[in-house]
Amino acid sequence: MSKRLFILTLVMLALIVTACAQPTPTPTPVPPTATKVPPTATPVPPTATPVPPTATPVPPTATPVPPTAVPTKAAALDWNTILDKYLTAAADQKWNGIAPAALNDVMATAKPFLLDVREEQEIKDNGFIAGSVNIPLKNLLKNLDKLPAKDQPIVTLCAVGHRGGMAMVALHLLGYTNVKSLLGGFNAWKAANLPVATGTPVAPTAGKAPDVDKAMLEALDKYLTAQFDQKWNSIAATALKDALTTTKPFLLDVRTPAEVAEQGMIEGSVNVPLNTLVKSLDKLPKDKATPIVVYCAVGHRGAIGMMTLHLLGYTNVKSLLGGLPSWKSANLPTVKP
């Protein structure tokens, strides 16, 4: 037993010594296993939820506003054509004058609208024809709403026929088709011993103003307003006699040649029948500022002739009140042509 133990001990010692005598082998280095790091990928931006592009805002379509037109000057009235046409037509109507006796007869039947264009004080001082309406001439075209329709009969009157004739012409040019003027005016009515009323005429009743040419209305209203300031550019016979020795006006006789031959004329006059006046302006002074006096048989055509020349741009024209008879009544001379 002890022998076996001894041998076993030796064997074990031998094994221990052998083991200690051999060098310890260097182990093959094993590279450390690196922890795999996944390669860094190129960052991909997160896909954003698509947002629709914002459209350029379109303003709401506004209701079209028409451009403001630049005011243009109204076309000038062709006075030469207008007045030549008017005078031709008026001649065919015998100049639309009416004598006092004829008016008295008409009033018994047709009852025309009587338009007295005198000033209020004249009516207070002298009376008026019963039934007439007073609208002073300077205000006439501002009161068309107080007149009857444009096709209704109207008779204009003043003191001697001068302003009545002007009122008649103005209304005709505005399209009134049935207007006459009392020849010799209210004075002729009284001289014929026809009835005269006193007090205050019936006030005109306002209605609807008619449709008229606006440019014509404006021009004629402006004209009549200016004529009031010029005392209507009439001249009495004695004043004309004096003027002939000083300013020496151009005398324009607008009667017919037959009237001139029968009744005579003021010496130095030039005869141009009224219906040919616009076509015969070459017979008048070239300078439109030259003083001119127009006359006829009673003053009616003289007023029409004067107004015609004024509207054509002549600036110094008057009409002889009462026409050639007033000249003769003042015992002033006439000559035969």
Side-chain angles (χ1 to χ4, degrees):
M1 172 82 188
S2 56
K3 184 179 180 181
R4 288 180 183 178
L5 181 62
F6 177 76
I7 296 170
L8 183 57
T9 301
L10 289 175
V11 174
M12 289 181 66
L13 287 171
L15 290 173
I16 291 170
V17 172
T18 303
C20 291
Q22 294 179 353
T24 304
T26 304
T28 304
V30 178
T33 303
T35 303
K36 288 186 178 181
V37 177
T40 304
T42 304
V44 178
T47 304
T49 303
V51 177
T54 304
T56 303
V58 178
T61 303
T63 302
V65 177
T68 302
V70 177
T72 55
K73 185 177 181 180
L77 293 166
D78 182 1
W79 282 117
N80 283 63
T81 300
I82 292 168
L83 293 169
D84 185 49
K85 182 179 179 180
Y86 171 68
L87 293 179
T88 300
D92 293 339
Q93 296 297 321
K94 298 181 179 179
W95 304 109
N96 289 296
I98 186 169
L103 175 58
N104 189 52
D105 292 340
V106 168
M107 289 172 60
T109 55
K111 299 187 184 303
F113 183 91
L114 295 180
L115 176 60
D116 192 326
V117 297
R118 293 176 295 164
E119 295 298 311
E120 183 179 350
Q121 190 59 48
E122 291 178 89
I123 291 175
K124 289 180 178 179
D125 293 343
N126 301 291
F128 58 94
I129 300 174
S132 59
V133 169
N134 177 226
I135 303 176
L137 182 54
K138 66 178 183 294
N139 300 325
L140 175 58
L141 301 190
K142 299 178 182 68
N143 289 278
L144 295 181
D145 60 325
K146 298 178 178 64
L147 303 184
K150 291 194 291 185
D151 62 347
Q152 295 302 299
I154 298 174
V155 175
T156 62
L157 67 125
C158 62
V160 297
H162 180 75
R163 285 169 289 173
M166 295 173 71
M168 180 197 73
V169 172
L171 293 178
H172 282 159
L173 291 175
L174 288 172
Y176 287 79
T177 58
N178 194 357
V179 186
K180 296 183 181 298
S181 177
L182 179 60
L183 296 173
F186 183 70
N187 289 354
W189 177 271
K190 288 176 71 174
N193 294 316
L194 293 170
V196 173
T198 57
T200 303
V202 176
T205 302
K208 181 181 178 181
D211 291 329
V212 297
D213 184 285
K214 291 182 180 179
M216 180 73 75
L217 176 62
E218 181 180 353
L220 291 173
D221 184 50
K222 182 178 180 180
Y223 170 70
L224 293 179
T225 300
Q227 290 305 298
F228 173 75
D229 294 336
Q230 296 296 323
K231 297 181 179 179
W232 307 110
N233 278 301
S234 60
I235 185 170
T238 53
L240 175 58
K241 174 182 175 293
D242 295 338
L244 288 171
T245 62
T246 54
T247 58
K248 301 184 184 301
F250 180 90
L251 294 178
L252 177 62
D253 187 332
V254 294
R255 296 172 297 159
T256 65
E259 290 176 284
V260 173
E262 180 183 349
Q263 302 164 6
M265 62 194 300
I266 300 173
E267 188 173 8
S269 301
V270 173
N271 178 225
V272 179
L274 183 55
N275 61 311
T276 68
L277 180 57
V278 177
K279 297 182 181 73
S280 305
L281 297 178
D282 58 323
K283 296 180 181 179
L284 275 58
K286 292 183 178 180
D287 183 356
K288 289 186 175 182
T290 301
I292 298 174
V293 174
V294 189
Y295 70 93
C296 62
V298 296
H300 179 69
R301 283 172 290 172
I304 298 172
M306 178 200 74
M307 187 170 176
T308 296
L309 293 180
H310 283 159
L311 294 173
L312 290 173
Y314 291 80
T315 59
N316 193 357
V317 186
K318 296 182 183 297
S319 176
L320 176 61
L321 288 174
L324 187 65
S326 69
W327 177 268
K328 288 181 174 181
S329 295
N331 295 315
L332 296 170
T334 60
V335 297
K336 291 286 185 178

